[in-house]
Amino acid sequence: SSGINAEWPLRPGTLLVACATGHYHDYDWKVMQSNFPDLLTGEDESCDHAKIYSYHIHVLFWQNNKDHVESALNLRNDFINRYGLNNKACTIAAGNPASGHEMCVFEVDWNPAGPFTTAQYSFFIPPYRLQETSFWMLQNKGDHDVFIHPNSGCETDDHTKWNTFSGAKWPIDASVFTCNYPGCKPITGS
């Protein structure tokens, strides 16, 4: 006996011939390679599964309301004091994922700037500090709206798909973003 079930519809070797004649054309293989680089090279050049290098915590506030400005600045100072960020101004572009960078403080935007439609300030947060800093901010934010997002280099997705708001959800103007691939480091941006 050949060891093949008599009900098997194909003769031995037929499957091998079918596989050999059903190979991909060189053009098809190149198209598949361009559509699935992560499967073939270990690199994913799309934003679908981008690595997250850091985070931003933003506090949005009404720049024309004296009381709201004052309480927003008090919250900022409390955060700076809580995490020892005095004299730790961010020297990187706001959109730079800056893997390995220490926690730092960005300047206050007193008017709408970048993707934000109101005044805001933000902090650069390394991944290992996200839980403690976001927990503190959410518990101490008062009447302020907090926007937290990752930094992967895929700025549009970072700000529109992978974000979280606590408080009111403000509109984000994604048209300003110039970096939309993993690891991208803009010269300027938010």
Side-chain angles (χ1 to χ4, degrees):
S1 167
S2 66
I4 296 178
N5 186 332
E7 295 180 21
W8 179 256
L10 301 175
R11 295 178 41 215
T14 304
L15 188 57
L16 180 60
V17 171
C19 289
T21 59
H23 68 279
Y24 291 107
H25 185 275
D26 188 55
Y27 171 79
D28 295 331
W29 182 247
K30 287 179 182 172
V31 168
M32 288 192 323
Q33 283 179 311
S34 67
N35 290 337
F36 303 101
D38 57 320
L39 297 175
L40 300 171
T41 65
E43 298 175 6
D44 184 351
E45 294 183 13
S46 76
C47 287
D48 293 339
H49 302 286
K51 179 179 179 179
I52 295 171
Y53 297 100
S54 61
Y55 294 85
H56 286 170
I57 296 176
H58 296 264
V59 175
L60 293 80
F61 59 96
W62 306 316
Q63 69 270 17
N64 297 324
N65 180 315
K66 181 183 172 192
D67 293 335
H68 211 245
V69 169
E70 182 180 338
S71 63
L73 293 180
N74 287 338
L75 177 61
R76 184 176 189 263
N77 290 334
D78 289 348
F79 188 93
I80 288 170
N81 291 331
R82 170 76 172 87
Y83 293 102
L85 297 176
N86 289 307
N87 301 315
K88 294 202 177 177
C90 293
T91 58
I92 55 173
N96 186 340
S99 179
H101 199 279
E102 293 183 14
M103 193 162 35
C104 60
V105 182
F106 288 104
E107 292 292 321
V108 176
D109 286 329
W110 292 105
N111 293 298
F116 298 101
T117 57
T118 190
Q120 64 87 33
Y121 57 81
S122 62
F123 303 98
F124 177 92
I125 310 293
Y128 75 95
R129 303 292 302 267
L130 178 66
Q131 184 175 2
E132 68 176 306
T133 55
S134 60
F135 185 73
W136 185 93
M137 184 60 77
L138 296 178
Q139 286 191 323
N140 292 278
K141 72 179 192 66
D143 292 335
H144 298 286
D145 303 314
V146 175
F147 176 66
I148 302 171
H149 67 84
N151 297 305
S152 67
C154 302
E155 288 183 304
T156 300
D157 288 346
D158 290 342
H159 288 79
T160 62
K161 289 183 181 178
W162 306 326
N163 66 52
T164 187
F165 273 96
S166 178
K169 182 175 181 179
W170 290 75
I172 297 294
D173 179 6
S175 70
V176 303
F177 298 128
T178 59
C179 255
N180 283 303
Y181 61 87
C184 182
K185 299 174 185 173
I187 295 171
T188 62
S190 293

